[in-house]
Amino acid sequence: MSAAPKFTVPPDKLSRSLLALPVGNSVKLDCSAEGYPRPTVTWYKDGARFLKRKGGSRIYLARWKLELKGLVPTDTGKYTCNVSNAHGWINHTYYVDVHGKIKVLDRL
């Protein structure tokens, strides 16, 4: 039996599309899905195929998940997963905002 892809990520996780994180943290973007034949996933950042990072450390891809460790400001952007098979496609976009750590100044 054939089936177009559909997300298996819990809806509450997908609804958290805007992620604001401090420099140095990690983020895992989940686009888990099912379908037959088994769908493939392609990741995009700001509309372009996402294959490597500027600054920061490596990209970790685990089937449906994209993990960025040691976030840097250049990781800020719009990350879209496109999940497809012969019967259709779906996509989801996460907005990641990486900001500097807050500094607390002591007043003497």
Side-chain angles (χ1 to χ4, degrees):
M1 183 168 122
S2 59
K6 70 176 185 177
F7 288 116
T8 58
V9 181
D12 64 315
K13 268 191 163 183
L14 278 181
S15 69
R16 284 184 261 140
S17 294
L18 176 57
L19 307 165
L21 300 154
V23 167
N25 276 28
S26 297
V27 66
K28 192 179 289 185
L29 309 177
D30 188 356
C31 280
S32 297
E34 64 185 8
Y36 189 82
R38 189 177 190 175
T40 59
V41 64
T42 304
W43 286 94
Y44 298 86
K45 179 183 180 204
D46 299 327
R49 182 94 187 259
F50 185 56
L51 300 172
K52 64 180 185 175
R53 291 169 73 184
K54 293 178 185 167
S57 56
R58 296 184 50 207
I59 300 169
Y60 298 91
L61 290 170
R63 188 75 183 130
W64 309 103
K65 297 175 185 169
L66 171 66
E67 185 175 5
L68 305 173
K69 293 186 176 188
L71 290 171
V72 294
T74 55
D75 290 323
T76 294
K78 179 176 79 170
Y79 293 82
T80 302
C81 63
N82 184 297
V83 181
S84 62
N85 69 10
H87 301 286
W89 60 271
I90 52 177
N91 63 37
H92 181 71
T93 300
Y94 289 96
Y95 298 90
V96 176
D97 180 22
V98 181
H99 53 82
K101 294 184 180 184
I102 297 170
K103 294 180 181 178
V104 177
L105 300 174
D106 285 334
R107 291 187 183 192
L108 298 175

